[in-house]
Amino acid sequence: AAYAGVLVGQATLAVAQPYLLNAPAAIAQAWFPVKERDLAATAGLLSNMMGQAFAEALIPGLAAAAPGSAESRVFWVTVASGALCLAAAAWAFLRAATPPGREPDAPA
């Protein structure tokens, strides 16, 4: 049962990954003028990589600080990570505005 859960999770993430990695370029095209698109797409892609590096640096410390058995620590680190992700998603959703009213490829 645990193997099947991991397999389903990995498959789901594999399907979602192209959408997440291509999103910064699509957002930059819709929101930024032509001169700023490269920088905006680069910042979006690098923020994904920096988030992964940040998580890799923090999770061992969080796991070591959590009380209980190894399974309990994994559970609480997962809960903490999920709560942070939900908080970030809620903040982004509440702060989202409509993109500028111009054609994506029109010069600014």
Side-chain angles (χ1 to χ4, degrees):
Y3 178 75
V6 170
L7 187 62
V8 169
Q10 290 291 319
T12 303
L13 293 175
V15 169
Q17 184 179 16
Y19 296 105
L20 295 174
L21 292 180
N22 291 326
I27 292 169
Q29 183 180 14
W31 281 74
F32 292 92
V34 175
K35 291 182 180 180
E36 297 175 1
R37 285 184 190 162
D38 292 339
L39 181 60
T42 301
L45 187 60
L46 284 177
S47 66
N48 183 10
M49 305 295 180
M50 292 301 293
Q52 292 174 2
F54 193 61
E56 290 287 334
L58 285 181
I59 286 177
L62 290 173
S69 65
E71 292 85 8
S72 174
R73 289 193 297 261
V74 169
F75 173 77
W76 286 112
V77 168
T78 303
V79 168
S81 299
L84 288 172
C85 288
L86 285 175
W91 178 83
F93 180 74
L94 293 173
R95 298 277 306 171
T98 54
R102 62 177 168 75
E103 292 296 317
D105 292 324

